[in-house]
Amino acid sequence: MACPSGDDKREPGPTVSVIVVSYQSGPTLARCLEALRAQTFTDFEILLVDNASTDGAPQAAAAADPAIRFLQPGANLGFAAGNNLAAGQARGRWLVLLNPDAYARPDWLEALVAGTRRHPEVRCFTSLQMVADEPDLMDGAGDVMTSAGIPFRGGYRRRRPADLLEGEVFSACGAATIIDRALFLELGGFDERFFCYCEDVDLGYRLRLAGEPTLLLPAAVVEHVGSASTGVRSDFSVFHGSRNRVWTFLKNTPLALLWLTLPLHVAVTAGLLLLHWRRGDAGPAWRGIRAALKRQDLDPILASRRQVQAARKAGALDILRVMALDPVAFFGRRLVIRRYRPSAR
């Protein structure tokens, strides 16, 4: 993790810093930024990070709107490091992370900020994501972690329940979330070794271990395309998702839960590999699992695990409480939203 440390001896800034990390996002970036300009809440800045795109879309967007703070690191840093770079330069009290293929409804930021004011003790919130081209279907209502250590987006491609209420979820999807900037920096931001995929679950798990809850705000809605730059089920996404899922489990699971759930994790991972084989993309999935266990890459993850576990404030039972106990709850993409009780922290 290589996120710049927080130094709040700065001029007062906006309430919110919206970070958009762009890579080959031409078809979606303009619409994403247009939706931001239409927000009813206006006390925010936009930081646009160009991860060495060749389509010219970030440059065109920055030229069209001089208010955008445009960051060009000169290389593809990945989603994790791109957000960390912007977080270190953001001026807002809150960081809002938004994918360039996520289109915010006009009251989205207003609903997020209202949630932070209703729950001043909570420092991370996630949005309700709807499918961009099928807006009656959910793209995700918070991330879920099963007892086998397998994360997934709750409610993916299911119809929104009429009684969907605010509640506690395991972690926030990085496509559309708000987090206290000081907390993000304190935790080191995203783990840049992940590059992209599961880096948001890893951060959410570390928040859990630090005793920090995450709440779903169903009134804060974005319409999300999903994998617009990397491709749904592309070799890239399958490889990184498979590798990073193993790292998330090994790095963050408390020891008592690790020994209890390791056989489940291995069994479910084997089952998922079989599903990949039937689907025709077992190659990148297998390469991802092997990469996760390579000594030169695994050793730093285990070293990070020792740091994370030494600093944790939440016990194994606290973590288990917000998991889906069913190890294969990802079948059907179940919603797992708990009633939030501040005293339970």
Side-chain angles (χ1 to χ4, degrees):
M1 292 169 284
C3 194
S5 61
D7 178 6
D8 288 321
K9 295 178 180 179
R10 302 165 297 166
E11 293 297 320
T15 300
V16 169
S17 295
V18 180
I19 299 173
V20 179
V21 177
S22 177
Y23 174 72
Q24 305 297 78
S25 304
T28 63
L29 180 61
R31 182 177 170 186
C32 170
L33 296 174
E34 181 182 357
L36 283 177
R37 286 191 286 268
Q39 292 296 297
T40 55
F41 179 87
T42 59
D43 186 21
F44 68 95
E45 64 176 353
I46 300 173
L47 291 91
L48 175 61
V49 182
D50 171 31
N51 263 344
S53 302
T54 59
D55 59 9
Q59 290 77 11
D65 186 353
I68 289 176
R69 299 179 61 194
F70 188 39
L71 307 180
Q72 291 182 282
N76 185 357
L77 303 182
F79 182 84
N83 274 289
N84 285 354
L85 173 67
Q89 299 187 34
R91 298 182 297 119
R93 158 77 168 79
W94 294 91
L95 298 179
V96 167
L97 313 181
L98 182 66
N99 276 12
D101 63 350
Y103 313 133
R105 294 188 181 172
D107 61 349
W108 175 62
L109 281 177
E110 184 176 350
L112 287 178
V113 173
T116 70
R117 292 170 179 167
R118 276 196 308 279
H119 304 284
E121 76 286 355
V122 177
R123 298 199 281 172
C124 184
F125 301 83
T126 193
S127 307
L128 175 62
Q129 298 169 199
M130 306 301 290
V131 177
D133 58 355
E134 297 180 77
D136 59 332
L137 298 180
M138 292 184 294
D139 179 71
D143 284 345
V144 181
M145 179 67 75
T146 74
S147 58
I150 307 295
F152 66 93
R153 264 183 287 170
Y156 178 70
R157 297 198 69 83
R158 294 179 61 175
R159 294 192 181 278
R160 174 179 178 168
D163 59 348
L164 186 63
L165 301 176
E166 283 186 8
E168 190 171 1
V169 294
F170 186 84
S171 62
C173 177
T177 192
I178 184 169
I179 183 170
D180 181 281
R181 177 180 178 271
L183 177 62
F184 183 86
L185 296 176
E186 178 186 330
L187 291 176
F190 289 123
D191 188 331
E192 297 180 5
R193 291 166 294 205
F194 282 53
F195 195 76
C196 64
Y197 291 101
C198 284
E199 74 293 305
D200 51 354
V201 181
D202 168 70
L203 176 64
Y205 211 141
R206 286 186 278 127
L207 284 168
R208 283 273 158 216
L209 293 171
E212 298 284 348
T214 295
L215 297 193
L216 168 71
L217 299 175
V221 180
V222 300
E223 296 176 4
H224 187 218
V225 175
S227 299
S229 298
T230 58
V232 178
R233 294 180 180 173
S234 66
D235 286 2
F236 179 90
S237 61
V238 171
F239 171 85
H240 284 83
S242 300
R243 183 194 67 179
N244 296 349
R245 187 170 61 235
V246 174
W247 281 352
T248 299
F249 174 74
L250 293 177
K251 175 181 170 182
N252 296 294
T253 309
L255 187 60
L257 274 183
L258 184 67
W259 289 117
L260 181 65
T261 60
L262 182 60
L264 276 176
H265 185 80
V266 172
V268 174
T269 298
L272 289 173
L273 193 58
L274 178 61
L275 288 178
H276 281 292
W277 176 76
R278 293 179 62 184
R279 209 166 60 193
D281 56 4
W286 176 240
R287 289 194 297 274
I289 294 168
R290 289 180 60 192
L293 300 175
K294 282 185 179 178
R295 183 67 179 269
Q296 65 268 29
D297 294 322
L298 181 59
D299 281 352
I301 293 295
L302 295 179
S304 180
R305 171 189 170 79
R306 289 190 286 272
Q307 296 174 354
V308 168
Q309 299 301 321
R312 71 181 172 92
K313 300 176 182 177
L317 289 179
D318 298 318
I319 302 301
L320 194 61
R321 180 185 67 83
V322 291
M323 284 181 162
L325 295 183
D326 181 354
V328 292
F330 49 84
F331 286 118
R333 302 290 182 171
R334 300 179 195 174
L335 287 170
V336 180
I337 305 169
R338 314 287 187 193
R339 178 176 296 178
Y340 172 61
R341 298 180 176 87
S343 60
R345 289 186 58 187

